[in-house]
Structure formats: C-alpha cells, structure tokens
C-alpha cells in the first residue's frame, strides 16, 4: 500500500516551514485563497468514533454526529493546533455551530464563516464572488499580506489540477484494482494534504493500481455526506461489490470544474457554483437524479446506497423522490442511517449484504 | 380571471361564507362568556378572540374558491410577500397551515401519511404535516388552493428550501428561492445587494409573469405601508404586555399572531390590530390581566407546542404564572422600525428580510432575550427545545446558562416538538414543569 503522511505530521511539517493551519468544517469553501496566504486548510469531518459527551453540554442530541464530533474535538482541545477556523454555512446545524463558536465557545483562534448561495443563478455567482473577496480581505488584515492576482491564480490552478486528478480517479474507479477501504483512505488525504502533495499521491494510485480492463465486481454508487463508518466498504467488497460511483459531499460532490477569468474571486466563484448537484445548495430532484443516472450509466451500477448521517435533514428530504425515480429507471437503492461515532450495526450490515446479493 | 369562477367565488364568500362565519363568531362569543367562570385561573379572553377566528377562517374560506380568480402563491412565513400582494396574489403559508393542523390536533394522521411515503421522522414536523396534507387532501381548512407559484425565503431555516423543492416536485410549478445569507454579526452591504437583486431580477419578473401584469410602484408602497402599520401595532400590543399584570399570555399571542403572519399587507389586518390594541390598552388601564393572579412572569423561547397550548396555559395559570412575551411572537413586530417608507422599497425589503431573529446569530437572540427579561420584568425562562426547529433550538443550552448567570433566574429547557406528539412526553414535561414551579417559588400544593 502507498504510504501517506497523516494529518498531524502534515500539519507539523507545514507549520515548521512557517505556514499556518485553518481547521475547516464541512464543506464548500475557496481552498486556493487560503493557500495563497500560506495557510493550509485541514478539514474536520469528525473525527469518527468519538465519545461526544462534551458537545452535549452545548447542543442537543438531535443534531448530527458530525457536528457533535467537531464541537467535542474542539472542547477537548484537540483543535488547538489550528491557527484559525472556517465554518462554512452548509446547513442549519453548521449554522448553529458557527454561531456557538462565535458567540459562546469563543476559541482564541479567529473564526471565519462563509456562505454558499442556494442557487446557480448569475446573482449567486456575484454574491459568492464578493463573499470570497471578503475572505481575502479578512486574511489580508489578519496576516498583513496581500497576495497578487498572479499568486492567487497559481494556487487556483493547482487546486483545479488536484480536483481533476481526483475526478480522474473516481471516473476510472472500475480500472483501479484496490479495495474501497484503501482507496477512500487514500483519496481522503485531499482533506488535509497540500494540493501539490495530493496530486502526487493520486498519480501513484493511478500508476500502481491501474488495470487494462475493468474490475469484475458488482458496481454500486454511494450517496450521502461521507462514508463513515468506513466499515461499509468492507461489507460491499466482501460481497464482491465495488463503489464505482461517488455522490458523497466529501468527495464526488466537490469535483469543482476548472473555470476561467481574470478576476480570481469570480473564477473561484464560478467553479464552486458549477459543482455537481448537492442538497446543501438546494438543488432540484431532477438535477440530482440526472447525475445519479449518468454515473449509473458510466459505471453500469445497478444500485445506489444512500448512506445518511442520522439527523441530516438535507439528505433525507430528497430520498423518497430520488429512490422512486431510480426505481423507474431500473436502479435499486437502499437507505442506511449512520452515526459516525458508532460502529456499523449488524442490522445495517445484514441489510447491505442482502442488497448486494440482489444486485448480482 | 375566469368569470364563472369569480362569480362562484363572490357568491360563496359573500352570500355563504361571510354570514356563516359571522354566525360562528356569535356562537364563539357566547361560548367565551361561559368558558371562564369562577374556577378558571384565566380571566375572560379578549372580545376580539371570536372575531380572530372569523378573520382567519375567512381567509381560508376565500382560498377554497380563489383558483382562477386570483393568482395563488404558497410562501414561507419570512418571504417578502409585499411584491406578491401588490401584484394581487392570494397567499397561503404552508407553515401556518401546519400549525393550524397541530392546534386542531389533526396533524398526527397527516404526519403518518407523509412518513408512509418515505419521509423520515427526522424531518421537520411542519413539513411532514404539510406533505401529509398534500398527499391525502385532508385539511381542517376545507381545501387549500393549488398554487401558481412557490416562493421560499431561507431567512427562517434551510429546511424550507428542501421543503419547497419537494412541493415543486409534487406540484410541477415554478419555484422562486430568495436566498438570505445568514447574519452571524452585522448585515453587510453585499448581503443586502444580493437579496435586493433577487427581489428585483428573480422574484419580480417571475411573479409578474404568473400574475399576468406589471408591478405598480404605488401598489407596492401601499402594501408596504399596510405591512408596516400592522407590524407596528403588533409590536405596541406586545410591548403593553410589559405591564403588570400582563393583559395577554403568550398562548393568546400565538393565536393573535395569525393575521400578522398570513395576512400581512392587507388593510383589514391593520384594522384588526387597531381594534385589538384598543382592547388590550383598555385592559392595561383597568388592571385586567390575562390570568387572575399573576405571581410570576416568564419568557417563552421558540415555537409553541401547538397541540398542548390549552393544557400548558391552564397549568401555568393555576400557579399564577403568566408568560407575557416570547421571542417567536416578538419576531413579527421587532422589524417594524426597519420598514422605512422614505427609502427605496427593494432596499428596505432586503434589509427587513435579512433581519428576522432566525436569520441572526445565537448571540443576537441571547441579547434579545436578556433585553426582554429586563423590560418585561421576568422571573424565569422556558426554552422550548423544539426537535423540529434546529435553527431556533441550537444555542439554547448556552443561552439558558448565560441568562441564569446574568439574572440569577431559573431557566428551563423543555424538550418537545412544535407538531409531532411522538417527540413529546407528557410525564417528563409535567415533572420538569413541576420542578420549575419549585424553583420559581410557587408551590405544587
């Protein structure tokens, strides 16, 4: 297996070279802007399997486990290694988390927020352009630096390249002879590695595991926020399945297409706005179903696993309609509720196993 | 407009609806005279109570026959409705309808219907009630008119975006989303600009197309004035509750707020609150409180528990506890000062609709609550931890602790739900409330 650098090691190395770290909650944000200021975004999607006693003093049990984990991790001082935080406005729960950070918990580090518009209209592009510029100005004030447009462009291009290599890996998944657990462990390093280092990892994955013909396994698509607990991959692989299609917020929904333009903020804005369909952006059922059917057609997947973190309303809403439309197109689906801090239940495992059998 | 439908609308609303509702009002008024006797801890309700039911019912009654007469829009409670009203739209608020179902205790069947179709129990109970009503056709309002347009504004929560996407999926009609960025601290110019552009460049052209006519500035100004006037009156009424004894309980306010939410922008709504103000003022001047013996005064945070209003009102009143104010009812009045009639209407609407309490940070809500504790002379706080409303409920634990710290008053977190009885435990609630009574120094005996 490829050896990759862990989070702490990456952070320590980056800081040793004079860089700073920003802890980033899920999930859309203009990564390149931070890199231009020599700030490395390290995403916080948990961590999983955490005892979230501390967060329950601040937020109710009906808030999702991802938010509970982030808050607990901070309260346990595990995020003290970060120099600042960014809490994008992704949903009502992350909205609340941002508010709690700013008004109650009040870490000593600076807390940024970032609002992604709920639309793909020209007014939305204009707004997010200004929102990105606002982040730039705030970072300028904080650091005393003012990276030029040329500098910004350099970082935008490298992030675009990192997105493209990830896209290539996901598109070519059926030709990569590596099990899903290892595959996702590797590609999720994009959450913390500098883009240039991730690109090298991606190249190595491609070279090491690329086969000339498709892997003969039952392809499925996975949809949701993130694939935690990751044991799901073992269950799928044990039933001779492979996750051939990715509709996860953590990976596949953030394949930002490259963009153009002289204004770097506008270029980043267009890239984010034109990302794949996503419930956090309020995208329509139609748009989402079309994408899933496209992925199914490319990969020959006959099934979709909706792997939904319990209490994640924005995922739940669309499930009945999407499942109905998939069924009409001959695609089976299953809904598995998860808690990132719990083991995958035996009930869920059994249901998944049966589901995989029905696809074969 | 379809002439036959207009004739039917006119005949039904004027020849049948009005007299029927008037008769119901008279019956209601006679009932009110009998309800509160010597043994009730409540004083007689306001005379306008029966008329409130008539007023709101007449809106729904008109809705049964409005298709083909006026364009219809289903809108979120925080939507910038003034543009739609000025274009002659008849408005239905699915949230209010869901609340009505909860108050009438018909919501659970509707919730089951929605859940049977695959909607998760972890989705907001208003949504499950509304979708259940749509799928089953059942509603205590008789019949809801099919909309020509859906308008969702994200200033109350993100749930509404998904909810209205679902409605669009079922109804196959245009949906306009007015995205209002969340305000963690202060409103910023690019946020105002964004909302303003959406109103002018997105909502307006689509609404004009659906209405089949262009917006006239004078009509918009008139509607905004009516909105402002009604909102100001509602604010003044609520501020009168700072007096001891409070002329209203929050349970009264939850009922009386219906017109400001769902008939804002109408001249009749201004008249309604004018009449109500006079009656409330009279009660204040005469020292007549909503409850007979007001010993303690509390703040209610969050939405009501619609299906338990009467029980809670009585239980608290029996102990001499009045709740003169809530963050929820106040939200419909506190924006009145922002409605500046001398400024550009779209700029004003953009600022107003960015400013609701649910679109502001938890620190802002805490300041609002602290201010209420001082101004309304409050002895404690009940924070309804509403499972269905994450934007309202997140931050409550810290808010409770801060209020206790600052004012040395008891503050209780009450876990329940606005509409879903499965998320409500009678026993637990009773135990918590009774412990709270002890903390307030009102005995259980």
């Amino acid at each position: 297996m490829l050896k990759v650098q862990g989070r702490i090691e990456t952070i320590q190395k980056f800081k040793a070279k004079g860089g700073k770290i920003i802890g980033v909650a899920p999930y859309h944000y203009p990564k390149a802007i931070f890199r231009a200021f020599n700030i490395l975004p390290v995403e916080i999607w948990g961590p999983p399997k955490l005892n979230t006693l501390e967060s329950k003093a601040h937020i109710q049990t009906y808030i999702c486990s991802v938010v509970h984990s982030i808050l607990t991790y901070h309260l346990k001082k595990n995020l003290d290694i970060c120099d600042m935080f960014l809490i994008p406005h992704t949903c009502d729960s992350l909205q609340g988390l941002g508010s709690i950070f700013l008004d109650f918990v009040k870490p000593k580090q600076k807390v940024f927020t970032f609002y992604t518009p709920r639309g793909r209209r020209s007014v939305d592009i204009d707004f997010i352009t200004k929102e990105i510029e606002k982040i730039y100005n705030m970072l300028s004030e904080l650091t005393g630096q003012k990276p030029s447009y040329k500098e910004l462009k350099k970082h935008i291009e490298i992030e675009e390249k990192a997105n493209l290599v990830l896209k290539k890996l996901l598109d070519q998944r059926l030709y990569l002879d590596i099990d899903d657990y290892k595959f996702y462990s590797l590609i999720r390093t994009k959450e913390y590695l500098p883009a240039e280092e991730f690109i090298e990892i991606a190249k190595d994955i491609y070279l090491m595991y690329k086969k000339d013909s498709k892997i003969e396994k039952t392809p499925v698509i996975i949809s949701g926020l993130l694939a935690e607990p990751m044991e799901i991959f073992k269950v799928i692989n044990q039933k001779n399945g492979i996750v051939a299609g990715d509709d996860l917020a953590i990976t596949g929904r953030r394949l930002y297409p490259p963009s153009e333009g002289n204004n770097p903020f506008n270029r980043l804005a267009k890239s984010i706005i034109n990302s794949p369909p996503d419930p956090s952006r309020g995208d329509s059922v139609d748009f989402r179903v079309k994408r899933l059917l496209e992925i199914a057609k490319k990969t020959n997947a006959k099934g979709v696993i909706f792997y939904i973190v319990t209490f994640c309303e924005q995922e739940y809403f669309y499930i009945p309609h999407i499942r109905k439309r998939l069924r009409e197109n001959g695609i089976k689906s299953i809904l598995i509720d998860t808690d990132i801090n719990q083991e995958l239940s035996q009930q869920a495992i059994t249901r998944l196993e049966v589901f995989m059998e029905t696809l074969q | 407009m379809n002439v036959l439908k207009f004739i039917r609308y006119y005949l039904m609303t004027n020849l049948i609806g009005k007299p029927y509702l008037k008769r119901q009002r008279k019956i209601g008024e006679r009932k009110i005279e009998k309800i509160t006797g010597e043994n009730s801890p409540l004083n007689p309700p306001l005379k306008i109570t029966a008329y409130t039911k008539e007023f709101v019912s007449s809106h729904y009654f008109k809705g049964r026959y409005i298709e083909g007469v006026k364009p219809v829009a289903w809108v979120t409670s925080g939507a910038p409705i003034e543009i739609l009203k000025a274009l002659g739209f008849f408005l239905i608020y699915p949230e209010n309808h869901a609340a009505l179902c909860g108050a009438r205790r018909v919501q659970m069947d509707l919730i089951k219907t929605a859940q049977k179709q695959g909607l998760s129990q972890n989705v907001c109970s208003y949504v499950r009630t509304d979708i259940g009503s749509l799928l089953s056709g059942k509603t205590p309002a008789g019949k809801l008119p099919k909309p020509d347009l859906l308008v969702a504004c994200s200033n109350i929560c993100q749930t509404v975006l998904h909810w209205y996407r679902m409605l669009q999926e079922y109804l196959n009609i245009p949906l306009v989303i007015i995205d209002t960025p969340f305000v963690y601290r202060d409103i910023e110019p690019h946020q105002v600009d964004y909302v303003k552009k959406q109103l002018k460049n997105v909502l307006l052209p689509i609404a004009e197309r659906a209405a089949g006519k262009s917006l006239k500035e004078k009509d918009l100004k008139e509607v905004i004035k009516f909105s402002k006037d009604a909102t100001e009156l509602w604010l003044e009424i609520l501020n009168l509750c700072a007096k001891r004894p409070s002329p209203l309980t929050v349970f009264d306010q939850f009922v009386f707020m219906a017109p400001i939410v769902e008939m804002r922008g109408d001249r009749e709504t201004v008249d309604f609150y004018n009449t109500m103000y006079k009656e409330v003022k009279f009660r204040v001047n005469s020292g007549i409180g909503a409850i007979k013996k007001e010993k303690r005064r509390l703040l209610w945070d969050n939405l009501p528990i619609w299906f338990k209003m009467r029980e809670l009102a009585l239980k608290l009143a029996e102990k001499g506890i009045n709740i003169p104010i809530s963050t929820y009812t106040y939200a419909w009045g506190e924006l009145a000062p922002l409605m500046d009639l001398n400024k550009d209407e779209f700029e004003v609407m953009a600022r107003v609709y960015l400013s609701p309490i649910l679109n502001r940070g938890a620190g802002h809500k805490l300041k609002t609550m602290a201010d209420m504790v001082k101004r309304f002379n409050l002895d404690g706080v009940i924070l309804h931890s509403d499972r269905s409303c994450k934007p309202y409920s997140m931050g409550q634990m810290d808010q409770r602790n801060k209020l206790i710290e600052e004012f040395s008053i008891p503050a209780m977190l009450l876990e329940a739900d606005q509409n879903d009885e499965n998320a409500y435990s009678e026993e637990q609630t009773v135990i918590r409330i009774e412990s709270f009574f002890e903390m307030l120094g009102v005995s259980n005996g």
Side-chain angles (χ1 to χ4, degrees), chain B residues 118-147:
Chain B
L119 203 51
S120 168
Q121 65 184 7
N122 291 319
V123 158
C124 163
S125 56
Y126 269 359
V127 179
R128 285 179 281 148
T129 305
D130 177 55
I131 299 292
S133 171
L134 183 71
L135 293 175
S136 63
K138 292 181 186 167
T139 163
K143 175 185 175 268
L144 294 181
K146 190 172 181 290

Side-chain angles (χ1 to χ4, degrees), chain B residues 254-427:
Chain B
F254 288 145
V255 171
F256 291 123
M257 67 185 275
I260 196 68
V261 180
E262 53 190 333
M263 284 128 81
R264 193 165 73 253
D266 290 341
R267 182 197 302 274
E268 292 80 6
T269 305
V270 180
D271 296 340
F272 173 85
Y273 284 113
N274 236 329
T275 307
M276 186 179 167
Y277 175 79
K278 287 173 187 160
E279 193 181 346
V280 173
K281 187 83 172 118
F282 171 78
R283 289 214 169 189
V284 166
N285 292 342
S286 313
I288 302 171
I291 71 173
K292 285 179 178 162
K293 287 181 190 162
E294 187 181 281
K295 294 184 204 170
R296 297 286 185 270
R297 294 158 62 91
L298 305 180
L299 165 66
W300 178 278
D301 178 50
N302 215 319
L303 275 71
I305 305 168
W306 288 109
F307 51 92
K308 279 288 168 189
M309 291 239 291
R310 183 153 177 81
E311 287 96 324
L312 283 172
L314 281 171
K315 193 161 184 72
L316 292 164
E318 277 161 11
K319 296 294 173 194
I321 298 171
N322 196 351
I323 307 182
I325 195 64
S326 97
T327 50
Y328 183 61
T329 51
Y330 206 75
W332 297 103
E334 63 182 352
L335 300 180
L338 292 178
M339 295 176 178
D340 188 336
L341 298 173
N342 297 315
K343 290 195 169 144
D344 171 66
E345 297 86 18
F346 288 90
E347 171 94 14
V348 167
M349 281 190 290
R351 283 190 181 277
V352 167
Y353 288 105
L354 273 164
S355 302
I357 195 170
L358 280 174
N359 204 48
R360 308 295 297 263
H364 173 88
K365 181 155 80 95
L366 175 62
K367 274 194 204 121
T368 303
M369 290 162 79
D371 177 62
M372 285 176 174
V373 168
K374 287 182 240 173
R375 279 200 301 123
F376 286 79
N377 272 298
L378 303 175
D379 306 297
V381 185
I382 296 179
L383 300 105
H384 168 206
S385 176
D386 182 350
R387 192 189 158 101
S388 280
C389 194
K390 292 188 183 93
Y392 226 132
S393 303
M394 272 189 92
Q396 278 182 325
M397 287 160 159
D398 288 289
Q399 286 159 355
R400 178 193 60 189
N401 294 340
K402 295 277 181 198
L403 288 168
I404 292 171
E405 214 178 282
E406 185 174 347
F407 297 104
S408 301
I409 53 172
M412 169 180 87
L413 211 65
L414 178 62
E415 277 145 12
D417 189 277
Q418 67 220 37
N419 250 24
D420 189 352
E421 296 187 42
N422 290 326
Y424 176 83
S425 160
E426 183 76 35
E427 259 192 59

Side-chain angles (χ1 to χ4, degrees), chain A residues 297-322:
Chain A
K297 192 175 174 186
K298 253 192 227 165
T299 60
N300 205 30
K302 292 284 181 277
V304 178
I305 300 169
F306 291 100
Y307 202 42
I308 308 298
V309 178
T310 309
F311 304 122
C312 187
E313 264 194 322
Q314 69 186 28
E315 297 287 336
Y316 280 129
F317 261 97
Y318 301 90
I319 302 278
H321 294 279
I322 293 177

